[in-house]
Amino acid sequence: MDQISIPTIDFSVFQGDHNHLQECGRNELINNGIVDPWFELDSEDLDSLYTVFDLKYQENPSDKQVKLLEDHQQNISDHWTQSDDSSNMDLPLQPIQIQMTPKASNGIQPQVPRLDNFHGEKTTSISLASLEFLNNCGRLFQKSSEENLSNILNNEARVSNIPKLSTEEILRVAGERYIQYSTQRVDGLSMFIHPYASSLSGLSIEQTKDMELVHLLLAAAEEVDQQQFHLASQSIAHCLWKASVTGNPIQRLCFYFCGALQERIDREIGRSLCFERKLRFLSTLALGTTHESLTCHTEIPFSQVMQFAGNQAIVENVKGATKIHLVDFNIRSGIQCTGLMQALSEQRDCPIELLKITAIGHQEKEKIEETGKRLQSFANFLNLPFSFDMVFMSDMKDLKAESVNVKADETVAVYCYTVLRTMICRQDYLDNTIRVIRGLRPSVVVVCEIEANHNSPSFLNRFVEALFYYSVLFDCFEDCMDRDNLVRKRIEVFHIGEGIRNMVAAEGAERFTRNVKLDVWRAYFARFRMVEMELSESSRYQANLILKQFSHGSSCIVQNDGKALLVGWKGTPIESVSIWKFL
């Protein structure tokens, strides 16, 4: 069976004279004017960013941007030492009473997300006793570190040989301990006297402090859910006193989640930032073809793993065709197309007469055109017959199958990389997109999506799911990039922080950062008579081959989920890739 060779790609082809372009990795919402907040900001729009973060614009973005956040964080100690002034906040001040029932240990399982009900959501008021499902949350792969956790929980680890825990493992242990001691809490300060040092003797000092920090964050989340905003603000202040925008993964994680919780409080009491202002900020977010973004692309394995597995599936399902038409619903810089182009150019048994790529888009027409020029240049280098087309409309609801120029002798493949999730909050758009794809009569539809449930109407369930998901990202960044790496800082500040804020702080139509797991997509696709096909061993081989090129590729796991593949980090799933056809 034909396999894609791993090309040595000269990224300067995609940078070249187009450094101002920033479209790679773009995950656009199909809601007009909104872009899913992933990765960095266009330099000309930094004013709106610093307005949101209370930062001053810097002509040349650098570490000073994050240094301003550090300075802002230093002021928290002043807030900590001040007496609480509740004169301007008419909020309940009594402590939370945690309700524990005999069945609490069984926990409340996360609600099954649905694609057909996004509006009119009501947050379910539940106790953090429901966080018992922390024990199992995020473990779809083999429990590779279960032995470490067992040693810690049973106090069997020796101080001289302390096991190194991943960020996700620290969350699990901290969640279990929070449940254990939650009934002993009398007020918002009592978590400082919880006996972590005695109960978790197998941890290092830093790990113990991380446990306490997560404990503070969980307490704040529960207080927010119970609408005890005064206590929640206190817990957030305590947490921020220990968290850090430049610290270890737990400290960074807690820093951004605390900010999101505080914004949720501000929204509830009418002290929120203007939503239109936030949309203007979010509309500028995109990962570009700058040196920083390409460095991230080469150091973080997930996107390349998914792309090569998907490209292998396309090669296999268009085998024998001489005219291939790829319809890409999220073209960005087009880097994801290069592996496919090289594989097709190397075919000898059935030479390609034409590869046509059609990009679907409703924003940034000029950038899509520039992507087409770069792909044409790359095709010329490969001596591959090539043409590029674009279907551009002002609103994705106007997309029709007839808009795509498909010839009778062309074999069609459709590529959807983390784009369908951006339509979850507008299901009419999503339904129309699937109908359009069906009308193209593709031989294969490749779907790559985030493998997480960030669509639960329950605030606490969604909070915990998001906490686990982003903990894995921070853990990955810690291993793959230096703490003072500018790319890492920019992504964490400009993308991850805003994604967390929207997921935690917003509700209803304003909460447009949503993901659902593969099983939910399977149920949804079945409504359109889509049938899942099995990814071949060659696709899995390609994914694992890519991992070997990364210094920390051994921490990234590729595993089957039925006919699809899941890509995860240290046992926790991050993305899925699946292939489909229509009956």
Side-chain angles (χ1 to χ4, degrees):
M1 183 173 293
D2 295 338
Q3 294 183 352
I4 298 178
S5 60
I6 308 299
T8 301
I9 298 173
D10 182 5
F11 286 106
S12 62
V13 174
F14 294 89
Q15 192 169 352
D17 296 328
H18 308 289
N19 289 333
H20 64 288
L21 298 178
Q22 297 194 337
E23 72 277 15
C24 173
R26 189 176 192 81
N27 296 321
E28 298 180 350
L29 286 180
I30 309 304
N31 190 2
N32 286 343
I34 305 176
V35 178
D36 189 30
W38 187 244
F39 304 119
E40 67 183 35
L41 204 65
D42 286 333
S43 58
E44 63 267 21
D45 293 309
L46 283 172
D47 270 324
S48 59
L49 171 71
Y50 293 117
T51 302
V52 172
F53 281 96
D54 295 324
L55 302 180
K56 185 178 180 181
Y57 176 79
Q58 299 283 337
E59 180 71 20
N60 295 311
S62 67
D63 290 332
K64 294 181 180 180
Q65 299 171 4
V66 181
K67 180 62 168 61
L68 291 172
L69 279 179
E70 297 175 45
D71 295 339
H72 176 72
Q73 180 185 349
Q74 185 66 33
N75 295 330
I76 293 172
S77 58
D78 297 333
H79 173 79
W80 169 249
T81 57
Q82 295 175 356
S83 60
D84 295 319
D85 180 9
S86 59
S87 59
N88 296 326
M89 191 178 300
D90 185 16
L91 297 171
L93 301 180
Q94 64 271 22
I96 302 172
Q97 298 298 322
I98 307 297
Q99 300 296 327
M100 299 288 288
T101 66
K103 297 182 179 180
S105 61
N106 294 330
I108 298 177
Q109 296 302 317
Q111 297 188 20
V112 177
R114 298 177 59 189
L115 288 175
D116 56 354
N117 183 18
F118 302 115
H119 306 290
E121 295 176 349
K122 295 183 180 179
T123 301
T124 305
S125 180
I126 58 176
S127 167
L128 269 192
S130 68
L131 288 181
E132 190 69 39
F133 75 88
L134 282 167
N135 298 337
N136 300 316
C137 184
R139 283 284 166 178
L140 296 188
F141 291 140
Q142 296 178 357
K143 299 184 178 180
S144 58
S145 301
E146 197 67 35
E147 199 171 302
N148 280 351
L149 288 172
S150 176
N151 287 339
I152 291 168
L153 295 174
N154 292 306
N155 301 320
E156 296 174 357
R158 299 176 59 182
V159 176
S160 60
N161 188 27
I162 297 174
K164 181 179 166 127
L165 297 181
S166 69
T167 307
E168 189 264 354
E169 287 168 338
I170 291 176
L171 287 183
R172 290 180 63 204
V173 177
E176 293 167 2
R177 292 298 162 180
Y178 181 82
I179 295 167
Q180 178 177 345
Y181 294 113
S182 61
T183 55
Q184 302 176 20
R185 200 172 91 212
V186 177
D187 56 46
L189 300 178
S190 61
M191 64 279 297
F192 288 109
I193 63 173
H194 287 162
Y196 274 100
S198 61
S199 65
L200 297 176
S201 59
L203 294 176
S204 67
I205 294 176
E206 181 180 12
Q207 289 171 340
T208 299
K209 290 180 178 179
D210 286 345
M211 299 285 180
E212 295 172 346
L213 188 54
V214 174
H215 190 131
L216 282 166
L217 182 64
L218 294 177
E222 181 182 16
E223 290 158 352
V224 169
D225 185 66
Q226 298 289 337
Q227 297 189 343
Q228 301 284 347
F229 298 136
H230 185 72
L231 287 177
S233 294
Q234 287 182 332
S235 296
I236 291 170
H238 302 336
C239 192
L240 286 173
W241 193 36
K242 294 171 175 284
S244 171
V245 73
T246 58
N248 65 33
I250 287 291
Q251 292 170 341
R252 294 178 185 228
L253 180 75
C254 290
F255 181 89
Y256 291 108
F257 270 87
C258 279
L261 287 174
Q262 187 60 57
E263 182 171 316
R264 187 178 181 91
I265 294 174
D266 292 343
R267 287 172 179 263
E268 291 287 343
I269 65 177
R271 202 170 58 195
S272 175
L273 293 170
C274 174
F275 180 60
E276 287 75 15
R277 182 170 130 200
K278 268 296 188 65
L279 291 186
R280 286 197 298 271
F281 161 69
L282 294 172
S283 67
T284 64
L285 291 170
L287 180 63
T289 54
T290 62
H291 171 73
E292 290 84 1
S293 63
L294 292 176
T295 299
C296 181
H297 180 79
T298 58
E299 293 186 8
I300 305 299
F302 304 128
S303 62
Q304 291 194 42
V305 171
M306 305 299 285
Q307 289 167 13
F308 275 88
N311 285 338
Q312 178 66 35
I314 293 175
V315 169
E316 294 170 0
N317 283 275
V318 300
K319 187 174 182 179
T322 58
K323 294 184 179 180
I324 300 170
H325 190 163
L326 176 66
V327 181
D328 195 321
F329 278 79
N330 192 15
I331 190 70
R332 299 161 293 154
S333 70
I335 290 179
Q336 71 277 10
C337 300
T338 56
L340 176 64
M341 295 171 68
Q342 180 154 342
L344 294 177
S345 69
E346 294 174 352
Q347 287 188 177
R348 297 292 178 262
D349 55 340
C350 186
I352 299 299
E353 296 179 13
L354 176 67
L355 170 63
K356 179 194 295 184
I357 294 180
T358 297
I360 308 294
H362 70 102
Q363 289 184 347
E364 302 177 327
K365 182 177 181 180
E366 292 181 357
K367 293 185 177 182
I368 297 177
E369 291 173 342
E370 291 293 341
T371 294
K373 293 177 182 178
R374 290 194 297 273
L375 291 176
Q376 181 65 66
S377 176
F378 190 66
N380 293 341
F381 172 77
L382 297 174
N383 197 26
L384 176 69
F386 179 82
S387 69
F388 183 86
D389 197 7
M390 174 177 55
V391 176
F392 188 86
M393 70 290 298
S394 59
D395 196 314
M396 284 295 291
K397 70 180 180 181
D398 299 327
L399 180 64
K400 298 179 176 60
E402 297 77 22
S403 304
V404 182
N405 184 21
V406 178
K407 303 295 185 181
D409 58 347
E410 294 175 348
T411 299
V412 178
V414 174
Y415 190 67
C416 299
Y417 187 84
T418 62
V419 64
L420 299 181
R421 71 189 185 102
T422 65
M423 308 182 208
I424 290 177
C425 61
R426 297 291 299 273
Q427 190 172 344
D428 53 338
Y429 284 54
L430 181 59
D431 292 347
N432 179 63
T433 299
I434 300 299
R435 284 192 290 266
V436 168
I437 294 175
R438 182 183 182 88
L440 298 177
R441 298 180 179 179
S443 297
V444 61
V445 179
V446 177
V447 177
C448 300
E449 284 296 335
I450 302 299
E451 182 62 12
N453 172 24
H454 299 147
N455 196 38
S456 172
S458 165
F459 164 68
L460 277 182
N461 284 356
R462 190 171 72 247
F463 180 90
V464 173
E465 293 273 5
L467 191 64
F468 270 96
Y469 174 78
Y470 283 106
S471 75
V472 177
L473 294 185
F474 279 102
D475 193 278
C476 177
F477 280 27
E478 180 75 2
D479 287 354
C480 297
M481 307 177 80
D482 294 335
R483 289 186 180 180
D484 59 353
N485 187 298
L486 179 59
V487 175
R488 175 180 177 180
K489 291 179 180 179
R490 288 172 63 84
I491 291 177
E492 288 178 358
V493 172
F494 301 149
H495 158 63
I496 294 181
E498 281 304 304
I500 292 171
R501 282 173 180 264
N502 183 256
M503 198 176 298
V504 171
E507 291 291 348
E510 293 185 7
R511 180 165 54 84
F512 47 79
T513 303
R514 301 173 184 245
N515 297 295
V516 295
K517 292 186 177 181
L518 182 57
D519 285 343
V520 179
W521 286 116
R522 284 170 172 150
Y524 176 75
F525 292 151
R527 294 169 45 187
F528 296 88
R529 301 186 67 193
M530 294 177 69
V531 177
E532 187 175 6
M533 298 185 291
E534 187 163 6
L535 279 158
S536 67
E537 286 299 321
S538 294
S539 292
R540 184 171 179 174
Y541 172 80
Q542 289 292 326
N544 284 295
L545 194 61
I546 285 293
L547 292 181
K548 294 180 180 179
Q549 299 188 4
F550 290 86
S551 58
H552 293 277
S554 60
S555 296
C556 191
I557 301 174
V558 177
Q559 185 161 320
N560 291 329
D561 183 311
K563 297 179 179 180
L565 290 181
L566 296 183
V567 179
W569 182 261
K570 296 182 180 178
T572 301
I574 295 295
E575 295 186 12
S576 67
V577 56
S578 57
I579 57 175
W580 303 81
K581 66 178 180 180
F582 290 91
L583 291 178

